[in-house]
């Protein structure tokens, strides 16, 4: 994980739509804005969380591909 963030000059996450929660799961649409080498990129992401019986997060997965990345105007 740490190696994927080398050279990042800035990073911001924002929720871009409604959070969907059912039972022990929640899906969150996010957009990451990051700057590398003076170029700012936007990445559309869906994070899916799993919660234990105690309400704490037991797993988190981020879903995105290279086609979800674009240069910010």
């Amino acid at each position: 994980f740490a190696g994927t963030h080398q050279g990042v000059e800035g990073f911001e996450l924002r929720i871009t739509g409604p959070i969907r929660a059912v039972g022990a799961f929640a899906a969150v649409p996010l957009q990451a804005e990051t700057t590398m080498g003076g170029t700012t990129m936007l990445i559309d992401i869906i994070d899916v969380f799993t919660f234990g019986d105690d309400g704490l997060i037991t797993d988190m997965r981020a879903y995105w591909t290279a086609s979800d990345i674009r240069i910010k105007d």
Side-chain angles (χ1 to χ4, degrees):
F1 178 81
T4 63
H5 293 82
Q6 292 175 346
V8 171
E9 299 158 20
F11 187 84
E12 181 181 328
L13 278 177
R14 34 186 177 275
I15 297 173
T16 58
I19 297 170
R20 307 290 189 196
V22 178
F25 305 96
V28 183
L30 300 167
Q31 185 177 76
E33 182 172 323
T34 186
T35 303
M36 295 176 65
T39 301
T40 300
M41 295 170 279
L42 301 173
I43 308 165
D44 294 316
I45 306 165
I46 300 292
D47 277 5
V48 177
F49 296 87
T50 303
F51 299 92
D53 292 335
D54 56 6
L56 298 177
I57 296 169
T58 60
D59 187 55
M60 189 282 296
R61 296 175 186 246
Y63 294 93
W64 60 278
T65 67
S67 66
D68 297 312
I69 303 171
R70 65 187 180 284
I71 303 300
K72 184 177 180 181
D73 294 332

